[in-house]
């Protein structure tokens, strides 16, 4: 494994269709997976504004809306899309190996 890589299997690909979200654990990290247009994206599961789990919110295309104060983020980039969000969300590289969704948590 190359330096800076720590791929962890977090879910089966068949569990995540387009428009679906899954909250998973990778070691000590809580990660949200999103199915968008046949691809999978991963971010921290907890909102950067306060404590809310984003998979309890609403996925609209490439945008996740937080269930607590309606803050919004792009799931591909983690970019916050305006108030009340002042800090972007961490994203993680994702790959699919066979049936497994893997996230690089390095
Ligand atoms: S906790 Fe997510 S917008 Fe406030």
């Amino acid at each position: 494994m190359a330096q800076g890589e720590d791929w962890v299997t977090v879910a089966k690909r068949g569990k995540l269709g387009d428009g679906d979200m899954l909250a998973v654990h990778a070691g000590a990290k809580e990660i949200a997976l999103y199915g968008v247009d046949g691809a999978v994206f991963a971010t921290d599961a907890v909102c950067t504004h306060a404590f809310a789990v984003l998979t309890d919110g609403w996925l609209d295309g490439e945008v996740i809306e937080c269930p607590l104060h309606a803050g919004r983020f792009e799931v591909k980039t983690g970019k916050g899309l305006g108030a009340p969000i002042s800090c972007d969300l961490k994203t993680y590289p994702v790959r699919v190996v066979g049936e497994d969704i893997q996230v690089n948590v390095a």
Side-chain angles (χ1 to χ4, degrees):
M1 187 165 16
Q3 206 170 17
E5 292 190 21
D6 187 5
W7 294 96
V8 176
T9 297
V10 291
K12 293 293 182 194
R13 183 66 183 92
K15 296 281 186 194
L16 190 76
D18 278 351
D20 290 344
M21 298 182 279
L22 280 176
V24 297
H25 287 273
K29 296 179 191 289
E30 284 186 71
I31 290 177
L33 301 177
Y34 311 91
V36 179
D37 292 336
V40 179
F41 299 95
T43 72
D44 273 336
V46 176
C47 186
T48 61
H49 178 238
F51 188 82
V53 177
L54 292 170
T55 51
D56 290 338
W58 298 272
L59 181 62
D60 182 10
E62 299 176 4
V63 174
I64 178 68
E65 181 175 313
C66 178
L68 197 50
H69 309 110
R72 300 166 81 229
F73 302 90
E74 288 181 358
V75 300
K76 288 183 178 178
T77 63
K79 184 173 170 34
L81 300 175
I85 304 303
S86 60
C87 185
D88 292 345
L89 196 58
K90 180 169 175 45
T91 60
Y92 299 89
V94 176
R95 71 183 182 187
V96 176
V97 178
E99 279 299 301
D100 294 337
I101 298 173
Q102 297 184 337
V103 175
N104 184 359
V105 296

